[in-house]
Amino acid sequence: MPDAPARCLKPCLLPGLLGWQTGFLAMLAGAVAWRAPAFAAALMVLLLAVTAPRDLRRFALLLLCSCLGACMMHASLPRQGIMPSWAAMPGRTVLAAGTVKSVSGLYGGRVRVLLEHVRPCGAEPSLPADRQEKLSRQLARAPLFAGSGFPRGYAAVTGAEGEVPGLVALTLDARDLGSLERPLPGQELRGALRFLPSGGSLNEHVPDPRAYWHDRDVWCAARPARSGGVPLWMEASGGKGLRFHAARLRERWRLGLLETLRRMDAGSGAPGEGEGGLSQSAAMLQALLFGDRSALSPQTAERFASAGLVHSLALSGQHLALAGLAAAAAVWLCSLFFHGMFLRAPRRVWTACAALPFAICYLYLGGAPFSLVRAACMLAAGAALLCMRRTSSPLDALFFAGLLIFMGWPPGVFDLSLQLSFSAGAGIICAAPLAGAACARLFPREGVPRRRLGHACRAVLRWTLTLLLASCAAQAAVFPVQTHAFGVVAPGSWLNLIWLPLLAFVTLPCAAVGLALNMAGAAAAAAASLHAAALPADLILWLLERLDGAGAITAIQCLRFDPVAMLGMGACLCVSAFLAERRLLRLPVPPAALRLLIAGALLIPIGQAPALLGQAMLEHRDAVRVTLFDVGQGQSVLVECGGGRILIDGGGSASPFFDCGKSILAPALTWGRLPRLDAVAVTHTDTDHARGLRWLLGHFSVRELCWSARSASGGESPDGTALRDIAEKRGIRERILARGDVLDLPRGFRLEVLWPPRGGEGRKRTANDDSLVLRLAREGRGLALFCGDVRAPALKDLLRLGGDLKAEVLVLPHHGASSSLLPEFYGAVAPELALASAGAFNQYGFPSAKVRQELERRGIPLLNTGEEGQLRVVWDFGGDAPGRRTVEAPFRQDRPLTASTPMAESSSSTACPSLGMFCSQTGESPSSMVW
């Protein structure tokens, strides 16, 4: 006979999935197979391990469900349409108009607008004379990029003056909104815009930003043409239909709340940092109620992300609990007048059904983000199960919610926010029986005297333990997804135990009451309620500031797991929670749980095997690999050989909303590898070369920081000062480099320092001209030359100093700017291939037309990260053909080669653009393609 704790709770039958749930997971496997076939195969293996079909009919049914999911995904994926020629000229200013479909507030006072039915304007606007003259000059200016034959461009272009296919993403910052009221859905937005293909940097093992936009049918991005930081012309007008009137009412409520919050801040003397001078605690209230984060500063967002609390700023099931509280209060009031209502249905049925209207209202108020839609679907599924007199399980509700979202929008399975939301919900559901079993064993209800004080203490302890386990379960459930997507672990997750109860029981209810009072016109009462809601927000902001200053919430960089290994980790965590519960209840373990545990444990090493094998092969090969990352308008180069890694520069941008080191370099460098670098070399401390190194020096294990004496002084650049401070704080050894120094690499490779001269000999130079010039060589053979941002005058001085400059691959100085063009330098280097690190469709036109013409005249092929994405060159000195060179362009599309694109036709090179790879061999012509 089971003991008392076993009688208190029913055993959880988590591995015993229902038939339709197993079929739904098979459908997900088929849908995901379009982009991650290995992940889909691993998911099917786990399903077979759990269900163990004994006949071919069940197995065939799973395969049929998988095929159905694949067909649904294929039918729902947006297709790129034909781009009209008027919008297919990147960098060209055009007059366009479109209908606003959605508006969302972003950190730092920014607003993202999605436009539909974008078309050219019929006539030029009537503007003041000075503004009209500037607009006319912008419209007449020739574009920097002719045609659209870039891999990041459009699939097809037509000369018709039609609409832009799909949606257009337009991001407006605080400067733009200073002269323009926030647009509303349903309005017509007109302005002078510049159109670009949607996307971002393209690097191996880093999430492709194009997929995010293409899944939402966004194929084009727009930027307002500015003059002096102000849009030349932009206006929103009109508006009709239910969508516009609903958005206008919601915006009226939001503006009314902002006005009350400003008065509240003025009365309390709180400093304003966000949009309109709001304090950060007041900005949090707007984010929690309306899902609008535009008033939150980037620093606040970074602190919440580092502490693992950023999920609390997103509208989710916890925020939808307000609908449950309102429904419970409404049911209680109704029961006072209709005494027999509980004879028709239990209280929980009435509460679940009554919560649906409140949930719909909150969906409207919050703008219906995915996390809130998931919670609302779970609530609707739970209410439907209760009304059908079926046992309501949170797991069933979670599966119903997933099914509803998948049926409505299949590409949602690729959405990271939805993945994190469902993972956290699944973790809490799996841990709920464990929490109940632990509470039943530690705080039994039977045989304990019922004293009020003791009963209250035990209730508090049970609630605390349940909250602790739920928080830990949610963090553990999202851990595999986080490490796969970001490779970052937040050590401050324990703050959830402090913040989430205050958020659920103080901030959210008081903020909702304050909003309702404000809409009713009771401004004084609303301010009092909002002030009470802001007190916990002030507390957590103060605590995060103190902990951030002490370095206690700094994120930990770790290796990134393969999707298959991520799935195996999730399965092991799920089974571990189930086994712990069975252990507490002293119940037998079903065979399905053991099969799932074994299968999940095997998937972890299987998923990591490709990365580990690739790393082992590179370490044992007599080869060197040079990777030119696509970091936008910047530069970052990784040199690998014999297991060692040296990073030259780290890219960077002046935007406070994007960290190149955190978002691009760290994920690429930690794919299957620990966050370690043997050395970091800084050519110079300009933002586009050094700012991305802040994250890497602060979160990677780096042995040595190498730079010139001028860069080490740090007086000319805040990035140089920041890098020196981080190096001193973490104990990273610094090394000053000058001409004649050598960085020794394994297997006889070396980085020779050719510039700047030691002691600053020569004339006074700019910071760009003092960039490090490094030459990768082996046994006197020059392989690659890295020139930083050295300009032509410094290159002349370098030539006068003499020495061997020959290199097979030249990374163009200063991203291919004409100011660094020196034909004599090209002659001295005599490269067989030129690489340029430049942003796609950058405003400078890099690489410049003069540089392209000079390279074409010399027959030197050119590869540009702005056109090709990440580039890699490998020299292999082993095997039958020592010194073989292979050039890889993983994102290159099947395009015809020209004289200025890789590789120029010669007897010593073979090109295969359809495979995205090019190879050449010195001395002898290659007999076959190197894969």
Side-chain angles (χ1 to χ4, degrees):
M1 182 175 180
D3 57 0
R7 293 196 305 267
C8 296
L9 291 173
K10 295 182 179 179
C12 176
L13 301 178
L14 188 59
L17 296 175
L18 300 177
W20 72 269
Q21 295 173 349
T22 306
F24 173 57
L25 291 177
M27 289 175 59
L28 291 183
V32 173
W34 281 99
R35 294 181 185 170
F39 180 89
L43 181 55
M44 290 297 293
V45 169
L46 293 182
L47 288 178
L48 295 176
V50 172
T51 57
R54 294 190 177 95
D55 53 58
L56 293 178
R57 287 179 298 179
R58 296 183 62 182
F59 182 74
L61 187 60
L62 287 179
L63 291 181
L64 182 61
C65 292
S66 177
C67 294
L68 177 61
C71 293
M72 292 180 60
M73 178 63 69
H74 176 72
S76 62
L77 283 175
R79 303 294 189 271
Q80 184 175 7
I82 298 178
M83 183 67 59
S85 58
W86 65 270
M89 195 73 71
R92 176 185 178 185
T93 300
V94 297
L95 302 181
T99 304
V100 179
K101 182 178 181 181
S102 66
V103 179
S104 56
L106 307 178
Y107 293 118
R110 299 173 300 152
V111 170
R112 176 169 294 148
V113 182
L114 292 184
L115 301 173
E116 58 185 354
H117 307 303
V118 178
R119 56 203 179 278
C121 281
E124 292 191 14
S126 177
L127 298 174
D130 57 339
R131 184 70 63 86
Q132 187 70 43
E133 182 182 358
K134 293 179 181 179
L135 180 60
S136 299
R137 287 202 302 265
Q138 288 273 11
L139 296 175
R141 182 178 300 173
L144 294 175
F145 304 92
S148 58
F150 296 89
R152 306 177 194 225
Y154 313 105
V157 178
T158 179
E161 298 295 323
E163 295 182 355
V164 175
L167 303 177
V168 175
L170 172 65
T171 301
L172 305 175
D173 57 24
R175 299 173 301 171
D176 304 326
L177 297 173
S179 57
L180 172 73
E181 292 186 359
R182 178 180 292 196
L184 297 177
Q187 284 187 316
E188 184 180 76
L189 185 67
R190 299 182 297 275
L193 305 175
R194 295 174 179 173
F195 291 89
L196 298 169
S198 60
S201 299
L202 305 178
N203 295 275
E204 276 190 309
H205 309 307
V206 178
D208 188 351
R210 298 175 301 180
Y212 174 87
W213 293 112
H214 294 173
D215 289 344
R216 289 157 178 79
D217 200 21
V218 178
W219 305 93
C220 196
R223 301 173 185 172
R226 297 185 177 94
S227 176
V230 179
L232 283 173
W233 173 58
M234 185 171 294
E235 62 183 19
S237 62
K240 58 184 178 179
L242 179 61
R243 181 174 60 176
F244 168 72
H245 293 290
R248 186 173 60 177
L249 179 61
R250 181 176 178 269
E251 182 68 7
R252 185 183 306 165
W253 290 345
R254 189 187 71 86
L255 293 178
L257 176 69
L258 288 181
E259 185 63 29
T260 302
L261 292 175
R262 291 192 186 98
R263 290 197 300 265
M264 185 182 72
D265 287 342
S268 61
E273 302 177 16
E275 179 190 17
L278 282 182
S279 64
Q280 289 302 283
S281 58
M284 287 177 60
L285 298 184
Q286 178 187 221
L288 294 172
L289 290 173
F290 289 92
D292 191 318
R293 307 182 189 182
S294 59
L296 290 171
S297 67
Q299 187 177 24
T300 299
E302 181 63 29
R303 286 174 178 168
F304 268 79
S306 299
L309 301 178
V310 70
H311 64 90
S312 64
L313 298 178
L315 302 184
S316 61
Q318 184 177 9
H319 303 78
L320 203 61
L322 288 174
L325 294 176
V331 169
W332 177 76
L333 288 176
C334 291
S335 67
L336 297 179
F337 300 97
F338 304 98
H339 303 287
M341 59 183 298
F342 295 132
L343 298 177
R344 296 180 175 271
R347 180 186 295 271
R348 59 177 182 173
V349 175
W350 288 109
T351 303
C353 295
L356 291 178
F358 292 100
I360 293 174
C361 293
Y362 200 82
L363 278 174
Y364 160 67
L365 188 68
F370 281 126
S371 53
L372 201 59
V373 171
R374 187 264 305 168
C377 291
M378 285 187 63
L379 178 61
L385 290 174
L386 288 174
C387 291
M388 291 188 296
R389 299 295 194 271
R390 296 185 58 182
T391 303
S392 179
S393 169
L395 188 62
D396 294 339
L398 183 67
F399 269 94
F400 267 119
L403 180 61
L404 290 175
I405 295 177
F406 179 75
M407 298 295 290
W409 187 48
V413 300
F414 302 119
D415 186 77
L416 181 59
S417 62
L418 202 60
Q419 295 171 8
L420 292 172
S421 178
F422 271 92
S423 298
I428 294 174
I429 291 173
C430 292
L434 176 60
C439 291
R441 181 168 292 276
L442 296 176
F443 311 106
R445 299 178 182 272
E446 299 181 3
V448 179
R450 290 185 173 274
R451 298 187 180 93
R452 289 187 176 182
L453 181 59
H455 183 70
C457 291
R458 286 193 300 274
V460 171
L461 291 175
R462 284 195 298 269
W463 180 83
T464 304
L465 179 60
T466 301
L467 180 63
L468 175 63
L469 290 177
S471 178
C472 293
Q475 295 298 322
V478 301
F479 173 78
V481 182
Q482 282 184 329
T483 53
H484 166 68
F486 310 112
V488 172
V489 177
S493 299
W494 59 272
L495 290 170
N496 285 283
L497 300 177
I498 300 175
W499 169 235
L500 293 185
L502 294 175
L503 174 65
F505 298 106
V506 180
T507 298
L508 281 176
C510 292
V513 171
L515 177 62
L517 292 173
N518 195 68
M519 290 187 295
S529 182
L530 293 173
H531 180 73
L535 291 178
D538 285 323
L539 173 63
I540 195 64
L541 288 171
W542 175 85
L543 185 58
L544 289 177
E545 182 180 359
R546 296 299 182 272
L547 293 175
D548 188 24
I553 58 172
T554 303
I556 300 175
Q557 188 77 51
C558 61
L559 64 86
R560 291 177 59 216
F561 290 99
D562 184 87
V564 175
M566 174 191 71
L567 184 61
M569 291 177 59
C572 290
L573 289 173
C574 178
V575 178
S576 299
F578 175 76
L579 294 180
E581 178 215 348
R582 307 288 289 200
R583 177 68 177 173
L584 285 175
L585 296 176
R586 300 176 183 176
L587 294 173
V589 178
L594 296 179
R595 292 196 301 267
L596 182 61
L597 180 62
I598 295 174
L602 291 177
L603 287 180
I604 297 177
I606 291 175
Q608 290 301 113
L612 296 177
L613 289 176
Q615 176 184 347
M617 292 177 60
L618 182 63
E619 291 179 0
H620 291 87
R621 286 170 59 190
D622 188 11
V624 63
R625 185 166 69 175
V626 174
T627 302
L628 186 62
F629 292 110
D630 179 14
V631 291
Q633 188 52 43
Q635 182 169 301
S636 182
V637 183
L638 179 67
V639 180
E640 302 173 276
C641 65
R645 299 194 295 178
I646 294 181
L647 185 69
I648 304 174
D649 290 338
S653 68
S655 172
F657 312 107
F658 179 76
D659 188 336
C660 173
K662 179 180 180 181
S663 301
I664 295 179
L665 296 181
L669 294 172
T670 56
W671 180 256
R673 300 197 63 174
L674 294 174
R676 294 175 181 172
L677 291 170
D678 294 279
V680 168
V682 187
T683 59
H684 64 301
T685 54
D686 278 3
T687 297
D688 60 333
H689 287 251
R691 181 156 296 182
L693 295 175
R694 294 188 183 187
W695 177 270
L696 300 182
L697 290 183
H699 297 82
F700 275 55
S701 175
V702 181
R703 295 181 182 177
E704 196 172 49
L705 174 62
C706 305
W707 47 8
S708 65
R710 182 167 187 165
S711 298
S713 65
E716 297 182 353
S717 169
D719 293 300
T721 303
L723 294 182
R724 160 155 283 186
D725 293 342
I726 296 173
E728 292 178 353
K729 182 179 179 180
R730 302 203 64 202
I732 300 174
R733 183 173 67 252
E734 294 186 50
R735 182 177 177 182
I736 306 300
L737 299 180
R739 181 180 175 86
D741 291 334
V742 174
L743 296 177
D744 292 320
L745 304 176
R747 305 188 185 281
F749 296 99
R750 48 191 279 162
L751 277 172
E752 303 170 351
V753 183
L754 306 180
W755 188 264
R758 191 175 304 277
E761 296 93 339
R763 62 179 183 81
K764 185 177 180 181
R765 295 179 295 268
T766 63
N768 280 349
D769 290 341
D770 264 342
S771 299
L772 289 178
V773 176
L774 305 174
R775 178 174 178 257
L776 177 64
R778 175 175 175 171
E779 300 176 353
R781 174 183 171 183
L783 303 179
L785 189 64
F786 315 105
C787 303
D789 278 354
V790 175
R791 299 183 305 159
L795 292 176
K796 291 181 180 179
D797 295 339
L798 176 60
L799 291 176
R800 279 196 291 266
L801 291 177
D804 189 4
L805 297 179
K806 290 187 179 298
E808 298 175 11
V809 176
L810 171 64
V811 179
L812 292 179
H814 205 175
H815 320 284
S818 57
S819 60
S820 297
L821 173 60
L822 188 66
E824 306 94 289
F825 177 72
Y826 291 165
V829 178
E832 300 176 15
L833 173 66
L835 305 179
S837 180
F841 313 111
N842 62 85
Q843 58 181 331
Y844 311 103
F846 294 160
S848 68
K850 293 182 180 180
V851 171
R852 292 177 182 268
Q853 292 171 3
E854 180 65 24
L855 292 175
E856 185 176 359
R857 186 182 68 83
R858 293 176 176 269
I860 302 174
L862 171 64
L863 280 172
N864 173 22
T865 59
E867 301 174 6
E868 314 293 350
Q870 174 190 299
L871 302 170
R872 178 176 291 136
V873 185
V874 182
W875 285 268
D876 193 348
F877 288 83
D880 300 332
R884 176 180 52 187
R885 184 179 72 245
T886 305
V887 182
E888 304 172 6
F891 297 94
R892 182 177 176 83
Q893 292 184 348
D894 188 5
R895 296 180 292 119
L897 299 177
T898 63
S900 60
T901 56
M903 299 272 299
E905 296 182 0
S906 65
S907 59
S908 62
S909 66
T910 301
C912 184
S914 62
L915 296 179
M917 300 187 62
F918 311 90
C919 69
S920 66
Q921 176 181 336
T922 58
E924 299 179 1
S925 299
S927 57
S928 63
M929 171 64 65
V930 179
W931 180 254

